[in-house]
Amino acid sequence: MIQISKWKLMFLSAICVLGIFFASPNFFDRERVQETFPEWLQPVNLGLDLQGGSQLLLEVDVEAGLKDYLDGSVDGVRTAFRGDKIGYTGLGVRKNAIRFKLRKLEDRDRAFRVLARPMQDFEIAINEQGQGQLVLKPEVIRERKSMMVRQSIEIVRRRIDEYGTAEPNIQQQGEGRILVQLPGVGDPARVRQLLGKTAKMTFRMVHPDSHVLIAKNRVPAGYERLPSEEEGLPDLIIGKRILLSGENLVSASAGFHQENNSPIVNFRFDAYGGRKFADITRKNRGRRFAIVLDNKVLSAPRINNPIPGGQAYIEGGFTVQQTTDLALLMRAGALPAPLIVIEERTVGPGLGADSIAAGKMATVIAVILVAVFMLLVYTFFGVVANIALAFNLILLIAIMSVIGATLTLPGIAGIALTIGMAVDANVLIYERIREEVRNGHKILSAIDAGYTQAMGTIIDSNLTTLIGAALLFIFGTGPIRGFAVTLSIGILVSMFTAISLTRVIVVLWYHWRRPTRIAV
């Protein structure tokens, strides 16, 4: 005789009650729920296609990132040659390689030796004429490209988090692209501006005769001509040597100047950066010190006194919004390579609302048709299947709410598909019970046989669908993943409701009514 233990009954009841509890926020006004309900009790997140927002497809400019790496490695070659007193000319980056020419051909062997250790990432070649080149090794190029993409994703994520967007979707697409989906963001231009900035901040010295050199249109070796961030100010001749970089920053915040109340950005270095900053300002008193962001001079104040403590500020005719954005970029860190926006798409909230309404309508119609069909074909057992179907939907929504899954338009299609699949198991069980009854078995043994013998078929059929959903999640992107998540949760929940929940309901009904015959 089939018996349902008390603990099993309590366990199933607890799951159903918890499902109703966690699914309940989805039946109230979303904005009100988000304001009044606790953070752990929120409705399902809606994807970009349902609540509107912006989508950006970014490409990491890895070639520019590799050139920056080559530029940064030139100093290593210069230092190695100077340390061993090897004469050279024409040191610089050209055609994806660091190139130079030795003044004396007899220094060729010494040049190989002094470059071997500090320039391990490069393949070094010096020909019979003393012309040398350092080319990045293929494995180093692969490693650095992969690292640039990973770092870019992390920096993009930090910037989006600082921006305050709820539930952004940021993921790698292909080898060097990043897909950014921002539900609810109606100003994609500002987000694009924030993401597009490299935010590479460096501190360098201004040439003492910068204005004279600009007038003569001359740029000495070791310097470069950079424009000013503020329109109307002249260009400056800035040293290529980076004295301090933004990597040593520990904080940055927008503020106002104490004397003229103009917007400024306050920043603070870590212990190492603070000591170095104090040393730079002490050794270069009277000279101009340039703060360079993305190859534009933000500010070039004159150093009047040493600045100990590692705290300073940037001013430069900013607006309040500009100081807020600049502080955000400095806190989030610098991108290892520029990002190129190759696609931008905006979905209006009206279109999302239409999608939700259409999805709700499709789901309701699917539920009604399935429920009517089960009721007509299996009568009382159809009612049991419909109760299980209702809890299937409730538990599906509850789980998606608890785990923070995002519901997309394909996800709604997954729910509609799940509704149809949810009664498959019940159909298999009921047909088996019907067959057992026709063969003359007693009601209770027929019910037991129906659930026991149909179990293997139910598990096999759902397992194959689950494998397909898992592959969609692994290899798919964006909405396809949303469909896979919804389908997977729906399959697991339907197995629970069809096998366990309906079994308990049917057994309890049998012990209550003790029927002599059943209509199935």
Side-chain angles (χ1 to χ4, degrees), residues 63-377:
E63 297 303 325
L66 289 175
K67 185 177 182 308
D68 285 345
Y69 183 68
L70 290 175
D71 287 335
S73 301
V74 169
D75 267 352
V77 178
R78 185 181 290 115
T79 303
F81 283 169
R82 286 179 178 174
D84 219 56
K85 296 182 179 176
I86 297 174
Y88 62 91
T89 60
L91 177 62
V93 177
R94 294 181 293 278
K95 296 181 180 177
N96 299 324
I98 299 174
R99 299 176 188 276
F100 60 87
K101 186 174 190 324
L102 296 176
R103 291 185 184 279
K104 298 177 181 176
L105 194 56
E106 54 266 32
D107 289 337
R108 186 165 173 263
D109 292 339
R110 279 202 302 140
F112 270 118
R113 193 172 62 251
V114 298
L115 291 177
R117 176 171 291 182
M119 310 305 288
Q120 293 180 354
D121 290 347
F122 294 85
E123 292 175 347
I124 305 169
I126 305 175
N127 63 19
E128 298 296 332
Q129 287 75 43
Q131 293 175 332
Q133 68 173 24
L134 288 85
V135 180
L136 278 172
K137 295 176 179 175
E139 61 269 24
V140 174
I141 292 176
R142 284 195 299 273
E143 183 184 345
R144 292 205 67 81
K145 283 183 175 178
S146 174
M147 184 191 69
M148 279 189 276
V149 174
R150 291 198 308 272
Q151 283 185 350
S152 297
I153 291 174
E154 185 58 33
I155 298 299
V156 166
R157 193 182 305 281
R158 283 191 214 163
R159 291 185 183 183
I160 295 296
D161 289 344
E162 290 273 356
Y163 185 77
T165 302
E167 305 301 334
N169 177 29
I170 303 165
Q171 56 184 292
Q172 183 173 348
Q173 197 168 72
E175 289 188 356
R177 293 183 175 180
I178 303 171
L179 178 67
V180 181
Q181 291 183 325
L182 306 169
V185 172
D187 184 12
R190 185 163 173 241
V191 176
R192 185 178 66 240
Q193 193 178 13
L194 288 176
L195 296 181
K197 279 186 177 291
T198 309
K200 185 175 182 180
M201 192 169 69
T202 57
F203 299 85
R204 309 188 232 168
M205 298 309 301
V206 179
H207 194 285
D209 300 320
S210 176
H211 294 308
V212 176
L213 292 169
I214 291 289
K216 295 181 179 178
N217 198 23
R218 282 187 52 209
V219 180
Y223 288 83
E224 61 183 333
R225 180 173 178 166
L226 295 181
S228 173
E229 175 75 14
E230 190 174 354
E231 291 184 8
L233 292 182
D235 295 353
L236 290 173
I237 302 297
I238 306 294
K240 289 184 177 178
R241 187 184 172 200
I242 297 172
L243 302 178
L244 197 57
S245 73
E247 295 173 356
N248 300 109
L249 282 174
V250 293
S251 68
S253 60
F256 294 93
H257 199 286
Q258 292 183 351
E259 294 180 359
N260 55 27
N261 208 32
S262 61
I264 59 173
V265 177
N266 296 299
F267 62 91
R268 183 166 62 86
F269 289 109
D270 58 15
Y272 171 79
R275 287 195 300 272
K276 199 164 181 181
F277 188 62
D279 190 50
I280 293 168
T281 52
R282 181 173 52 79
K283 289 180 178 176
N284 294 282
R285 186 181 296 184
R287 291 190 62 184
R288 295 181 69 187
F289 186 58
I291 303 170
V292 180
L293 181 73
D294 290 348
N295 287 326
K296 287 187 177 179
V297 180
L298 286 179
S299 179
R302 192 173 301 281
I303 302 172
N304 296 320
N305 294 296
I307 304 175
Q311 295 188 23
Y313 63 85
I314 304 172
E315 62 176 342
F318 300 123
T319 64
V320 174
Q321 185 65 63
Q322 285 173 325
T323 56
T324 303
D325 287 352
L326 180 56
L328 183 156
L329 292 171
M330 290 167 67
R331 286 196 303 270
L335 286 167
L339 290 177
I340 303 169
V341 179
I342 58 176
E343 183 186 308
E344 178 183 330
R345 191 154 58 94
T346 303
V347 179
L351 184 60
D354 291 343
S355 300
I356 293 175
K360 281 182 178 177
M361 180 62 71
T363 305
V364 169
I365 292 174
V367 169
I368 292 174
L369 291 179
V370 170
V372 170
F373 174 81
M374 293 301 290
L375 200 59
L376 291 176
V377 176

Side-chain angles (χ1 to χ4, degrees), residues 439-455:
N439 290 335
H441 289 87
K442 293 182 178 179
I443 295 175
L444 197 57
S445 63
I447 293 173
D448 188 33
Y451 278 97
T452 305
Q453 296 181 19
M455 181 78 76

Side-chain angles (χ1 to χ4, degrees), residues 370-442:
V370 170
V372 170
F373 174 81
M374 293 301 290
L375 200 59
L376 291 176
V377 176
Y378 297 106
T379 57
F380 168 75
F381 284 85
V383 173
V384 176
N386 290 338
I387 293 173
L389 185 62
F391 274 102
N392 185 294
L393 272 177
I394 291 171
L395 293 176
L396 173 61
I397 294 171
I399 291 174
M400 291 186 69
S401 301
V402 170
I403 67 174
T406 300
L407 181 64
T408 60
L409 197 55
I412 293 179
I415 292 177
L417 179 61
T418 300
I419 291 169
M421 295 175 63
V423 295
D424 279 356
N426 292 113
V427 170
L428 286 172
I429 293 168
Y430 296 162
E431 288 299 324
R432 189 69 189 181
I433 293 174
R434 181 180 284 175
E435 191 177 328
E436 293 293 323
V437 171
R438 285 173 182 164
N439 290 335
H441 289 87
K442 293 182 178 179

